[in-house]
Short mmCIF file of all heavy atoms in Angstrom, two decimals:
data_model
loop_
_atom_site.label_atom_id
_atom_site.label_comp_id
_atom_site.label_asym_id
_atom_site.label_seq_id
_atom_site.Cartn_x
_atom_site.Cartn_y
_atom_site.Cartn_z
N MET P 1 0.82 -1.18 0.00
CA MET P 1 0.00 0.00 0.00
C MET P 1 0.88 1.26 0.00
O MET P 1 0.58 2.21 -0.71
CB MET P 1 -0.92 -0.03 1.22
CG MET P 1 -1.75 1.22 1.38
SD MET P 1 -2.81 1.21 2.83
CE MET P 1 -1.67 1.66 4.10
N LEU P 2 1.93 1.23 0.78
CA LEU P 2 2.80 2.40 0.86
C LEU P 2 3.46 2.70 -0.48
O LEU P 2 3.57 3.87 -0.87
CB LEU P 2 3.86 2.21 1.95
CG LEU P 2 3.32 2.16 3.38
CD1 LEU P 2 4.44 1.82 4.34
CD2 LEU P 2 2.66 3.45 3.76
N GLU P 3 3.85 1.65 -1.19
CA GLU P 3 4.46 1.85 -2.51
C GLU P 3 3.46 2.47 -3.48
O GLU P 3 3.83 3.33 -4.29
CB GLU P 3 5.01 0.54 -3.06
CG GLU P 3 6.27 0.08 -2.38
CD GLU P 3 7.39 1.13 -2.42
OE1 GLU P 3 7.66 1.68 -3.49
OE2 GLU P 3 7.98 1.39 -1.36
N ASP P 4 2.22 2.06 -3.40
CA ASP P 4 1.19 2.65 -4.27
C ASP P 4 1.01 4.13 -3.97
O ASP P 4 0.86 4.94 -4.89
CB ASP P 4 -0.14 1.92 -4.09
CG ASP P 4 -0.14 0.53 -4.70
OD1 ASP P 4 0.71 0.27 -5.58
OD2 ASP P 4 -0.98 -0.29 -4.30
N ILE P 5 1.02 4.49 -2.70
CA ILE P 5 0.89 5.90 -2.33
C ILE P 5 2.08 6.69 -2.84
O ILE P 5 1.93 7.77 -3.42
CB ILE P 5 0.73 6.05 -0.80
CG1 ILE P 5 -0.59 5.43 -0.35
CG2 ILE P 5 0.80 7.53 -0.39
CD1 ILE P 5 -0.74 5.31 1.15
N LYS P 6 3.28 6.14 -2.64
CA LYS P 6 4.50 6.83 -3.11
C LYS P 6 4.46 7.01 -4.62
O LYS P 6 4.81 8.08 -5.13
CB LYS P 6 5.74 6.03 -2.72
CG LYS P 6 6.04 6.06 -1.24
CD LYS P 6 7.23 5.15 -0.93
CE LYS P 6 7.44 5.01 0.56
NZ LYS P 6 8.52 4.07 0.88
N ASN P 7 4.05 5.98 -5.34
CA ASN P 7 3.98 6.08 -6.79
C ASN P 7 2.96 7.11 -7.25
O ASN P 7 3.16 7.80 -8.25
CB ASN P 7 3.64 4.71 -7.40
CG ASN P 7 4.80 3.74 -7.29
OD1 ASN P 7 5.96 4.14 -7.19
ND2 ASN P 7 4.49 2.46 -7.29
N ARG P 8 1.90 7.25 -6.52
CA ARG P 8 0.91 8.25 -6.87
C ARG P 8 1.47 9.65 -6.67
O ARG P 8 1.25 10.54 -7.48
CB ARG P 8 -0.34 8.05 -6.03
CG ARG P 8 -1.41 9.03 -6.44
CD ARG P 8 -2.78 8.58 -6.38
NE ARG P 8 -3.07 7.28 -6.90
CZ ARG P 8 -4.28 6.76 -6.85
NH1 ARG P 8 -5.24 7.43 -6.31
NH2 ARG P 8 -4.53 5.57 -7.32
N TYR P 9 2.22 9.84 -5.59
CA TYR P 9 2.83 11.14 -5.34
C TYR P 9 3.86 11.50 -6.41
O TYR P 9 4.06 12.66 -6.72
CB TYR P 9 3.47 11.20 -3.96
CG TYR P 9 2.52 11.64 -2.88
CD1 TYR P 9 1.99 10.73 -1.99
CD2 TYR P 9 2.14 12.96 -2.76
CE1 TYR P 9 1.10 11.13 -1.00
CE2 TYR P 9 1.28 13.38 -1.78
CZ TYR P 9 0.75 12.46 -0.90
OH TYR P 9 -0.12 12.87 0.06
N LYS P 10 4.52 10.49 -6.98
CA LYS P 10 5.52 10.75 -8.00
C LYS P 10 4.93 11.41 -9.24
O LYS P 10 5.65 11.98 -10.05
CB LYS P 10 6.21 9.44 -8.41
CG LYS P 10 7.14 8.91 -7.34
CD LYS P 10 7.76 7.59 -7.78
CE LYS P 10 8.59 7.00 -6.65
NZ LYS P 10 9.12 5.67 -7.01
N LEU P 11 3.64 11.36 -9.39
CA LEU P 11 2.97 11.99 -10.54
C LEU P 11 2.94 13.52 -10.42
O LEU P 11 2.70 14.21 -11.40
CB LEU P 11 1.53 11.47 -10.67
CG LEU P 11 1.38 9.96 -10.89
CD1 LEU P 11 -0.10 9.57 -10.81
CD2 LEU P 11 1.98 9.55 -12.21
N TYR P 12 3.19 14.03 -9.21
CA TYR P 12 3.11 15.47 -8.95
C TYR P 12 4.49 16.09 -8.88
O TYR P 12 5.45 15.44 -8.48
CB TYR P 12 2.37 15.71 -7.62
CG TYR P 12 0.93 15.27 -7.65
CD1 TYR P 12 0.57 14.04 -7.11
CD2 TYR P 12 -0.04 16.07 -8.21
CE1 TYR P 12 -0.75 13.62 -7.13
CE2 TYR P 12 -1.37 15.65 -8.23
CZ TYR P 12 -1.72 14.44 -7.69
OH TYR P 12 -3.02 14.03 -7.72
N PRO P 13 4.59 17.38 -9.20
CA PRO P 13 5.88 18.08 -9.04
C PRO P 13 6.29 18.12 -7.56
O PRO P 13 5.45 18.06 -6.66
CB PRO P 13 5.59 19.49 -9.54
CG PRO P 13 4.25 19.48 -10.17
CD PRO P 13 3.55 18.23 -9.74
N LEU P 14 7.58 18.20 -7.30
CA LEU P 14 8.11 18.18 -5.92
C LEU P 14 7.50 19.26 -5.04
O LEU P 14 7.18 19.00 -3.88
CB LEU P 14 9.63 18.30 -5.94
CG LEU P 14 10.38 17.07 -6.42
CD1 LEU P 14 11.87 17.37 -6.53
CD2 LEU P 14 10.14 15.90 -5.48
N ASP P 15 7.34 20.47 -5.56
CA ASP P 15 6.81 21.54 -4.72
C ASP P 15 5.35 21.29 -4.34
O ASP P 15 4.92 21.63 -3.25
CB ASP P 15 6.97 22.91 -5.40
CG ASP P 15 6.27 22.99 -6.75
OD1 ASP P 15 6.11 21.95 -7.42
OD2 ASP P 15 5.90 24.11 -7.15
N TYR P 16 4.62 20.63 -5.20
CA TYR P 16 3.22 20.34 -4.90
C TYR P 16 3.09 19.23 -3.85
O TYR P 16 2.16 19.22 -3.06
CB TYR P 16 2.47 19.95 -6.17
CG TYR P 16 0.99 19.77 -5.96
CD1 TYR P 16 0.18 20.86 -5.71
CD2 TYR P 16 0.42 18.50 -6.00
CE1 TYR P 16 -1.18 20.70 -5.51
CE2 TYR P 16 -0.94 18.33 -5.81
CZ TYR P 16 -1.73 19.43 -5.56
OH TYR P 16 -3.08 19.27 -5.36
N ARG P 17 4.05 18.32 -3.83
CA ARG P 17 4.01 17.21 -2.85
C ARG P 17 4.03 17.74 -1.42
O ARG P 17 3.40 17.18 -0.54
CB ARG P 17 5.19 16.27 -3.06
CG ARG P 17 5.11 15.52 -4.36
CD ARG P 17 6.29 14.59 -4.48
NE ARG P 17 6.51 14.21 -5.86
CZ ARG P 17 7.46 13.40 -6.25
NH1 ARG P 17 8.30 12.88 -5.38
NH2 ARG P 17 7.60 13.09 -7.52
N GLY P 18 4.76 18.81 -1.20
CA GLY P 18 4.80 19.41 0.13
C GLY P 18 3.48 20.03 0.49
O GLY P 18 3.04 19.96 1.65
N ILE P 19 2.82 20.62 -0.48
CA ILE P 19 1.52 21.26 -0.23
C ILE P 19 0.49 20.21 0.18
O ILE P 19 -0.33 20.44 1.06
CB ILE P 19 1.05 22.03 -1.49
CG1 ILE P 19 2.00 23.19 -1.78
CG2 ILE P 19 -0.38 22.52 -1.33
CD1 ILE P 19 1.77 23.86 -3.13
N ILE P 20 0.55 19.06 -0.46
CA ILE P 20 -0.43 18.02 -0.13
C ILE P 20 0.08 17.04 0.94
O ILE P 20 -0.47 15.98 1.13
CB ILE P 20 -0.92 17.27 -1.40
CG1 ILE P 20 0.23 16.74 -2.21
CG2 ILE P 20 -1.79 18.15 -2.24
CD1 ILE P 20 -0.18 15.93 -3.43
N LYS P 21 1.14 17.43 1.60
CA LYS P 21 1.64 16.76 2.80
C LYS P 21 1.98 15.28 2.59
O LYS P 21 1.51 14.40 3.29
CB LYS P 21 0.65 16.92 3.94
CG LYS P 21 0.40 18.38 4.28
CD LYS P 21 -0.56 18.47 5.44
CE LYS P 21 -0.88 19.82 5.94
NZ LYS P 21 -0.53 21.01 5.38
N GLU P 22 2.85 15.03 1.63
CA GLU P 22 3.25 13.65 1.30
C GLU P 22 3.78 12.92 2.52
O GLU P 22 3.37 11.79 2.81
CB GLU P 22 4.31 13.68 0.19
CG GLU P 22 4.85 12.32 -0.16
CD GLU P 22 5.91 12.37 -1.24
OE1 GLU P 22 6.42 13.47 -1.56
OE2 GLU P 22 6.25 11.31 -1.75
N LYS P 23 4.70 13.54 3.27
CA LYS P 23 5.31 12.85 4.41
C LYS P 23 4.29 12.52 5.49
O LYS P 23 4.33 11.43 6.08
CB LYS P 23 6.44 13.70 4.99
CG LYS P 23 7.65 13.77 4.09
CD LYS P 23 8.74 14.62 4.68
CE LYS P 23 9.92 14.69 3.70
NZ LYS P 23 11.00 15.49 4.19
N GLU P 24 3.37 13.44 5.75
CA GLU P 24 2.37 13.19 6.78
C GLU P 24 1.42 12.07 6.36
O GLU P 24 1.05 11.22 7.18
CB GLU P 24 1.56 14.47 7.07
CG GLU P 24 2.34 15.53 7.80
CD GLU P 24 3.12 16.46 6.85
OE1 GLU P 24 3.27 16.15 5.66
OE2 GLU P 24 3.59 17.51 7.33
N VAL P 25 1.04 12.06 5.10
CA VAL P 25 0.14 11.01 4.60
C VAL P 25 0.83 9.65 4.69
O VAL P 25 0.23 8.67 5.15
CB VAL P 25 -0.31 11.31 3.15
CG1 VAL P 25 -1.01 10.12 2.54
CG2 VAL P 25 -1.21 12.54 3.12
N LEU P 26 2.09 9.59 4.29
CA LEU P 26 2.83 8.32 4.36
C LEU P 26 3.01 7.86 5.80
O LEU P 26 2.90 6.66 6.10
CB LEU P 26 4.18 8.46 3.66
CG LEU P 26 4.11 8.50 2.13
CD1 LEU P 26 5.45 8.92 1.55
CD2 LEU P 26 3.67 7.16 1.58
N ALA P 27 3.27 8.79 6.71
CA ALA P 27 3.42 8.43 8.13
C ALA P 27 2.12 7.87 8.68
O ALA P 27 2.12 6.86 9.40
CB ALA P 27 3.86 9.65 8.94
N LYS P 28 1.01 8.49 8.33
CA LYS P 28 -0.29 8.02 8.80
C LYS P 28 -0.61 6.64 8.18
O LYS P 28 -1.09 5.74 8.87
CB LYS P 28 -1.38 9.02 8.44
CG LYS P 28 -2.67 8.81 9.17
CD LYS P 28 -3.62 9.95 8.93
CE LYS P 28 -3.46 10.93 10.06
NZ LYS P 28 -4.52 11.92 10.14
N ALA P 29 -0.34 6.48 6.90
CA ALA P 29 -0.59 5.20 6.23
C ALA P 29 0.28 4.10 6.80
O ALA P 29 -0.14 2.94 6.88
CB ALA P 29 -0.35 5.35 4.73
N ASN P 30 1.48 4.45 7.21
CA ASN P 30 2.40 3.47 7.79
C ASN P 30 1.88 2.91 9.11
O ASN P 30 2.26 1.81 9.52
CB ASN P 30 3.78 4.10 7.97
CG ASN P 30 4.86 3.06 8.19
OD1 ASN P 30 4.84 2.01 7.56
ND2 ASN P 30 5.78 3.35 9.08
N GLN P 31 1.02 3.64 9.78
CA GLN P 31 0.45 3.20 11.05
C GLN P 31 -0.80 2.34 10.87
O GLN P 31 -1.31 1.78 11.84
CB GLN P 31 0.10 4.41 11.91
CG GLN P 31 1.30 5.22 12.32
CD GLN P 31 0.91 6.50 13.04
OE1 GLN P 31 -0.28 6.82 13.18
NE2 GLN P 31 1.88 7.26 13.49
N CYS P 32 -1.29 2.23 9.65
CA CYS P 32 -2.52 1.48 9.39
C CYS P 32 -2.28 -0.02 9.34
O CYS P 32 -1.23 -0.47 8.92
CB CYS P 32 -3.13 1.92 8.05
SG CYS P 32 -3.74 3.60 8.05
N ASN P 33 -3.28 -0.74 9.79
CA ASN P 33 -3.31 -2.20 9.62
C ASN P 33 -4.32 -2.49 8.52
O ASN P 33 -5.48 -2.10 8.63
CB ASN P 33 -3.73 -2.90 10.90
CG ASN P 33 -2.70 -2.75 11.98
OD1 ASN P 33 -1.51 -2.89 11.72
ND2 ASN P 33 -3.14 -2.46 13.20
N VAL P 34 -3.88 -3.18 7.49
CA VAL P 34 -4.75 -3.47 6.36
C VAL P 34 -4.85 -4.97 6.19
O VAL P 34 -3.84 -5.67 6.27
CB VAL P 34 -4.18 -2.83 5.06
CG1 VAL P 34 -5.06 -3.16 3.87
CG2 VAL P 34 -4.04 -1.33 5.23
N TRP P 35 -6.06 -5.47 6.00
CA TRP P 35 -6.25 -6.88 5.75
C TRP P 35 -7.36 -7.04 4.72
O TRP P 35 -8.10 -6.11 4.43
CB TRP P 35 -6.55 -7.64 7.03
CG TRP P 35 -7.82 -7.23 7.70
CD1 TRP P 35 -9.04 -7.81 7.55
CD2 TRP P 35 -8.02 -6.15 8.61
NE1 TRP P 35 -9.99 -7.15 8.30
CE2 TRP P 35 -9.37 -6.13 8.97
CE3 TRP P 35 -7.18 -5.19 9.16
CZ2 TRP P 35 -9.91 -5.19 9.84
CZ3 TRP P 35 -7.72 -4.26 10.02
CH2 TRP P 35 -9.06 -4.27 10.36
N VAL P 36 -7.50 -8.24 4.21
CA VAL P 36 -8.51 -8.53 3.20
C VAL P 36 -9.55 -9.45 3.81
O VAL P 36 -9.21 -10.40 4.52
CB VAL P 36 -7.87 -9.23 1.98
CG1 VAL P 36 -8.92 -9.63 0.97
CG2 VAL P 36 -6.82 -8.33 1.34
N ILE P 37 -10.80 -9.15 3.55
CA ILE P 37 -11.90 -10.00 4.00
C ILE P 37 -12.81 -10.21 2.80
O ILE P 37 -13.09 -9.26 2.06
CB ILE P 37 -12.64 -9.39 5.21
CG1 ILE P 37 -13.73 -10.35 5.71
CG2 ILE P 37 -13.20 -8.03 4.89
CD1 ILE P 37 -14.36 -9.94 7.03
N SER P 38 -13.24 -11.43 2.60
CA SER P 38 -14.13 -11.70 1.47
C SER P 38 -15.52 -11.13 1.76
O SER P 38 -15.89 -10.91 2.91
CB SER P 38 -14.24 -13.20 1.22
OG SER P 38 -14.99 -13.83 2.25
N TYR P 39 -16.25 -10.91 0.70
CA TYR P 39 -17.60 -10.40 0.85
C TYR P 39 -18.45 -11.39 1.66
O TYR P 39 -19.23 -11.00 2.52
CB TYR P 39 -18.22 -10.14 -0.52
CG TYR P 39 -19.37 -9.17 -0.50
CD1 TYR P 39 -19.16 -7.80 -0.47
CD2 TYR P 39 -20.68 -9.64 -0.48
CE1 TYR P 39 -20.22 -6.92 -0.44
CE2 TYR P 39 -21.75 -8.75 -0.45
CZ TYR P 39 -21.51 -7.40 -0.43
OH TYR P 39 -22.56 -6.52 -0.39
N GLU P 40 -18.25 -12.70 1.40
CA GLU P 40 -19.00 -13.72 2.14
C GLU P 40 -18.70 -13.67 3.63
O GLU P 40 -19.61 -13.74 4.45
CB GLU P 40 -18.66 -15.12 1.60
CG GLU P 40 -19.10 -15.37 0.17
CD GLU P 40 -18.06 -15.00 -0.87
OE1 GLU P 40 -17.05 -14.36 -0.53
OE2 GLU P 40 -18.27 -15.35 -2.03
N ASP P 41 -17.43 -13.54 3.98
CA ASP P 41 -17.05 -13.45 5.40
C ASP P 41 -17.60 -12.18 6.04
O ASP P 41 -18.03 -12.19 7.19
CB ASP P 41 -15.53 -13.49 5.56
CG ASP P 41 -14.96 -14.87 5.31
OD1 ASP P 41 -15.72 -15.86 5.34
OD2 ASP P 41 -13.74 -14.95 5.06
N TRP P 42 -17.60 -11.09 5.28
CA TRP P 42 -18.13 -9.82 5.80
C TRP P 42 -19.62 -9.96 6.08
O TRP P 42 -20.09 -9.55 7.14
CB TRP P 42 -17.84 -8.71 4.79
CG TRP P 42 -18.36 -7.37 5.19
CD1 TRP P 42 -17.92 -6.58 6.20
CD2 TRP P 42 -19.45 -6.67 4.58
NE1 TRP P 42 -18.65 -5.41 6.25
CE2 TRP P 42 -19.60 -5.45 5.26
CE3 TRP P 42 -20.30 -6.96 3.52
CZ2 TRP P 42 -20.57 -4.52 4.92
CZ3 TRP P 42 -21.26 -6.03 3.18
CH2 TRP P 42 -21.39 -4.82 3.88
N ILE P 43 -20.36 -10.54 5.15
CA ILE P 43 -21.80 -10.72 5.34
C ILE P 43 -22.08 -11.60 6.55
O ILE P 43 -23.01 -11.34 7.32
CB ILE P 43 -22.45 -11.31 4.07
CG1 ILE P 43 -22.43 -10.29 2.93
CG2 ILE P 43 -23.90 -11.75 4.36
CD1 ILE P 43 -22.91 -10.83 1.59
N SER P 44 -21.27 -12.62 6.74
CA SER P 44 -21.49 -13.54 7.86
C SER P 44 -21.35 -12.86 9.22
O SER P 44 -21.85 -13.36 10.23
CB SER P 44 -20.56 -14.74 7.77
OG SER P 44 -19.24 -14.37 8.11
N LYS P 45 -20.69 -11.72 9.28
CA LYS P 45 -20.49 -11.00 10.55
C LYS P 45 -21.75 -10.27 11.01
O LYS P 45 -21.86 -9.88 12.17
CB LYS P 45 -19.35 -9.98 10.43
CG LYS P 45 -18.02 -10.58 10.03
CD LYS P 45 -17.45 -11.46 11.10
CE LYS P 45 -16.08 -11.97 10.68
NZ LYS P 45 -15.67 -13.13 11.42
N PHE P 46 -22.72 -10.06 10.11
CA PHE P 46 -23.94 -9.34 10.47
C PHE P 46 -24.84 -10.22 11.32
O PHE P 46 -25.04 -11.39 11.03
CB PHE P 46 -24.69 -8.89 9.21
CG PHE P 46 -24.10 -7.68 8.55
CD1 PHE P 46 -22.99 -7.79 7.74
CD2 PHE P 46 -24.65 -6.43 8.75
CE1 PHE P 46 -22.43 -6.69 7.13
CE2 PHE P 46 -24.10 -5.31 8.16
CZ PHE P 46 -22.99 -5.44 7.35
N SER P 47 -25.38 -9.65 12.39
CA SER P 47 -26.29 -10.40 13.24
C SER P 47 -27.75 -10.09 12.91
O SER P 47 -28.63 -10.90 13.20
CB SER P 47 -26.01 -10.09 14.72
OG SER P 47 -26.14 -8.71 14.96
N ASN P 48 -28.00 -8.95 12.29
CA ASN P 48 -29.36 -8.59 11.90
C ASN P 48 -29.75 -9.41 10.67
O ASN P 48 -29.17 -9.25 9.60
CB ASN P 48 -29.40 -7.09 11.59
CG ASN P 48 -30.78 -6.61 11.16
OD1 ASN P 48 -31.40 -7.19 10.28
ND2 ASN P 48 -31.24 -5.55 11.79
N GLY P 49 -30.73 -10.30 10.84
CA GLY P 49 -31.14 -11.20 9.77
C GLY P 49 -31.60 -10.48 8.52
O GLY P 49 -31.32 -10.92 7.40
N GLU P 50 -32.32 -9.38 8.69
CA GLU P 50 -32.84 -8.63 7.54
C GLU P 50 -31.70 -8.02 6.73
O GLU P 50 -31.69 -8.09 5.50
CB GLU P 50 -33.79 -7.53 8.02
CG GLU P 50 -34.56 -6.85 6.92
CD GLU P 50 -35.57 -5.86 7.47
OE1 GLU P 50 -36.21 -6.16 8.50
OE2 GLU P 50 -35.71 -4.79 6.86
N SER P 51 -30.74 -7.43 7.42
CA SER P 51 -29.58 -6.85 6.73
C SER P 51 -28.76 -7.94 6.04
O SER P 51 -28.32 -7.76 4.90
CB SER P 51 -28.68 -6.11 7.73
OG SER P 51 -29.35 -5.03 8.29
N LYS P 52 -28.58 -9.04 6.73
CA LYS P 52 -27.79 -10.15 6.18
C LYS P 52 -28.45 -10.68 4.90
O LYS P 52 -27.79 -10.90 3.89
CB LYS P 52 -27.68 -11.25 7.22
CG LYS P 52 -26.67 -12.30 6.92
CD LYS P 52 -26.63 -13.30 8.08
CE LYS P 52 -25.22 -13.67 8.38
NZ LYS P 52 -25.09 -14.54 9.54
N LEU P 53 -29.77 -10.87 4.94
CA LEU P 53 -30.50 -11.36 3.78
C LEU P 53 -30.39 -10.36 2.62
O LEU P 53 -30.15 -10.76 1.47
CB LEU P 53 -31.97 -11.60 4.13
CG LEU P 53 -32.86 -12.07 2.98
CD1 LEU P 53 -32.35 -13.40 2.42
CD2 LEU P 53 -34.30 -12.19 3.44
N PHE P 54 -30.57 -9.08 2.92
CA PHE P 54 -30.46 -8.04 1.88
C PHE P 54 -29.08 -8.10 1.21
O PHE P 54 -28.97 -8.07 -0.02
CB PHE P 54 -30.70 -6.65 2.48
CG PHE P 54 -30.46 -5.54 1.50
CD1 PHE P 54 -31.42 -5.21 0.58
CD2 PHE P 54 -29.26 -4.85 1.51
CE1 PHE P 54 -31.20 -4.19 -0.34
CE2 PHE P 54 -29.02 -3.84 0.59
CZ PHE P 54 -30.01 -3.50 -0.34
N LEU P 55 -28.03 -8.19 2.01
CA LEU P 55 -26.66 -8.23 1.47
C LEU P 55 -26.41 -9.50 0.67
O LEU P 55 -25.75 -9.47 -0.37
CB LEU P 55 -25.65 -8.09 2.60
CG LEU P 55 -25.61 -6.71 3.25
CD1 LEU P 55 -24.77 -6.76 4.53
CD2 LEU P 55 -25.08 -5.67 2.30
N GLN P 56 -26.95 -10.62 1.14
CA GLN P 56 -26.78 -11.87 0.39
C GLN P 56 -27.48 -11.79 -0.97
O GLN P 56 -26.92 -12.23 -1.98
CB GLN P 56 -27.31 -13.05 1.20
CG GLN P 56 -26.43 -13.40 2.38
CD GLN P 56 -27.08 -14.39 3.33
OE1 GLN P 56 -28.30 -14.44 3.45
NE2 GLN P 56 -26.26 -15.17 4.01
N LEU P 57 -28.68 -11.23 -0.99
CA LEU P 57 -29.40 -11.08 -2.25
C LEU P 57 -28.67 -10.12 -3.20
O LEU P 57 -28.54 -10.38 -4.40
CB LEU P 57 -30.83 -10.58 -1.99
CG LEU P 57 -31.75 -11.58 -1.30
CD1 LEU P 57 -33.07 -10.90 -0.90
CD2 LEU P 57 -32.02 -12.79 -2.18
N PHE P 58 -28.19 -9.02 -2.64
CA PHE P 58 -27.44 -8.06 -3.43
C PHE P 58 -26.18 -8.70 -4.02
O PHE P 58 -25.88 -8.56 -5.20
CB PHE P 58 -27.07 -6.84 -2.57
CG PHE P 58 -26.20 -5.85 -3.30
CD1 PHE P 58 -26.74 -4.97 -4.20
CD2 PHE P 58 -24.82 -5.83 -3.07
CE1 PHE P 58 -25.93 -4.05 -4.87
CE2 PHE P 58 -24.01 -4.94 -3.74
CZ PHE P 58 -24.57 -4.04 -4.64
N TYR P 59 -25.46 -9.44 -3.20
CA TYR P 59 -24.23 -10.09 -3.63
C TYR P 59 -24.53 -11.11 -4.74
O TYR P 59 -23.80 -11.21 -5.72
CB TYR P 59 -23.54 -10.75 -2.44
CG TYR P 59 -22.23 -11.41 -2.79
CD1 TYR P 59 -21.25 -10.74 -3.50
CD2 TYR P 59 -21.98 -12.72 -2.41
CE1 TYR P 59 -20.04 -11.35 -3.81
CE2 TYR P 59 -20.78 -13.34 -2.72
CZ TYR P 59 -19.81 -12.64 -3.42
OH TYR P 59 -18.63 -13.25 -3.74
N GLY P 60 -25.61 -11.85 -4.57
CA GLY P 60 -26.01 -12.80 -5.61
C GLY P 60 -26.27 -12.11 -6.94
O GLY P 60 -25.87 -12.60 -8.00
N LYS P 61 -26.93 -10.95 -6.89
CA LYS P 61 -27.19 -10.18 -8.12
C LYS P 61 -25.91 -9.66 -8.74
O LYS P 61 -25.76 -9.65 -9.96
CB LYS P 61 -28.15 -9.03 -7.82
CG LYS P 61 -29.55 -9.48 -7.52
CD LYS P 61 -30.44 -8.30 -7.17
CE LYS P 61 -31.82 -8.78 -6.79
NZ LYS P 61 -32.70 -7.67 -6.40
N THR P 62 -24.96 -9.22 -7.90
CA THR P 62 -23.71 -8.71 -8.47
C THR P 62 -22.93 -9.82 -9.17
O THR P 62 -22.33 -9.58 -10.22
CB THR P 62 -22.79 -8.07 -7.40
OG1 THR P 62 -22.43 -9.05 -6.43
CG2 THR P 62 -23.47 -6.90 -6.72
N LYS P 63 -22.96 -11.03 -8.61
CA LYS P 63 -22.27 -12.13 -9.26
C LYS P 63 -22.95 -12.49 -10.57
O LYS P 63 -22.27 -12.88 -11.53
CB LYS P 63 -22.22 -13.35 -8.34
CG LYS P 63 -21.28 -13.15 -7.15
CD LYS P 63 -21.01 -14.43 -6.40
CE LYS P 63 -22.25 -15.02 -5.79
NZ LYS P 63 -21.98 -16.21 -4.96
N TYR P 64 -24.26 -12.36 -10.63
CA TYR P 64 -24.98 -12.66 -11.87
C TYR P 64 -24.70 -11.61 -12.96
O TYR P 64 -24.40 -11.93 -14.09
CB TYR P 64 -26.48 -12.76 -11.61
CG TYR P 64 -27.28 -12.98 -12.87
CD1 TYR P 64 -27.37 -14.26 -13.42
CD2 TYR P 64 -27.94 -11.94 -13.51
CE1 TYR P 64 -28.07 -14.46 -14.59
CE2 TYR P 64 -28.64 -12.13 -14.68
CZ TYR P 64 -28.72 -13.40 -15.22
OH TYR P 64 -29.41 -13.60 -16.38
N TRP P 65 -24.80 -10.34 -12.59
CA TRP P 65 -24.70 -9.26 -13.58
C TRP P 65 -23.26 -8.85 -13.89
O TRP P 65 -23.01 -8.21 -14.90
CB TRP P 65 -25.49 -8.03 -13.11
CG TRP P 65 -26.96 -8.31 -13.11
CD1 TRP P 65 -27.76 -8.53 -12.04
CD2 TRP P 65 -27.79 -8.45 -14.27
NE1 TRP P 65 -29.04 -8.78 -12.44
CE2 TRP P 65 -29.10 -8.72 -13.82
CE3 TRP P 65 -27.58 -8.34 -15.65
CZ2 TRP P 65 -30.17 -8.91 -14.67
CZ3 TRP P 65 -28.65 -8.52 -16.50
CH2 TRP P 65 -29.92 -8.80 -16.02
N ASN P 66 -22.32 -9.18 -13.06
CA ASN P 66 -20.93 -8.79 -13.28
C ASN P 66 -20.03 -10.00 -13.44
O ASN P 66 -18.95 -10.08 -12.87
CB ASN P 66 -20.43 -7.92 -12.11
CG ASN P 66 -21.17 -6.62 -12.03
OD1 ASN P 66 -21.24 -5.91 -13.00
ND2 ASN P 66 -21.72 -6.33 -10.87
N ARG P 67 -20.46 -10.94 -14.23
CA ARG P 67 -19.67 -12.15 -14.45
C ARG P 67 -18.37 -11.80 -15.17
O ARG P 67 -18.35 -10.98 -16.07
CB ARG P 67 -20.46 -13.16 -15.26
CG ARG P 67 -21.58 -13.79 -14.45
CD ARG P 67 -22.37 -14.69 -15.30
NE ARG P 67 -23.37 -13.82 -15.94
CZ ARG P 67 -24.17 -14.20 -16.89
NH1 ARG P 67 -24.12 -15.41 -17.36
NH2 ARG P 67 -25.06 -13.38 -17.38
N ILE P 68 -17.30 -12.44 -14.75
CA ILE P 68 -16.01 -12.23 -15.40
C ILE P 68 -15.78 -13.35 -16.39
O ILE P 68 -15.98 -14.48 -16.14
CB ILE P 68 -14.87 -12.20 -14.35
CG1 ILE P 68 -15.06 -11.01 -13.44
CG2 ILE P 68 -13.51 -12.16 -15.03
CD1 ILE P 68 -14.05 -10.92 -12.31
#
């Protein structure tokens, strides 16, 4: 993630990077914990049955309409 942020900053001139606080953004990003969770695992965390059902139906539709 940090490399992606750095690469994005490289698109800007050096003087502009200071204005948009490149070092502060990188320091804050360096403190983040990032992990991946599947949509199925995320839905399973919901305890509200109505919300869970809605998300499962929505997910089913996305898999149907956005087939790869």
Side-chain angles (χ1 to χ4, degrees):
M1 176 181 80
L2 293 174
E3 286 304 312
D4 288 339
I5 294 170
K6 289 175 188 176
N7 289 335
R8 183 145 315 177
Y9 272 105
K10 288 178 185 176
L11 300 173
Y12 295 98
L14 288 174
D15 59 332
Y16 186 71
R17 293 181 200 181
I19 295 170
I20 53 177
K21 301 182 178 8
E22 177 181 13
K23 289 180 182 180
E24 289 88 346
V25 169
L26 286 168
K28 195 171 265 193
N30 196 39
Q31 296 173 356
C32 293
N33 292 317
V34 178
W35 63 94
V36 176
I37 184 170
S38 71
Y39 201 81
E40 294 90 349
D41 287 342
W42 178 70
I43 291 173
S44 73
K45 302 292 183 199
F46 282 80
S47 58
N48 180 309
E50 190 175 321
S51 296
K52 193 178 221 175
L53 178 61
F54 174 80
L55 291 169
Q56 288 169 331
L57 292 171
F58 175 79
Y59 182 50
K61 289 177 183 178
T62 62
K63 290 192 297 185
Y64 176 80
W65 292 105
N66 295 307
R67 288 176 274 172
I68 296 176

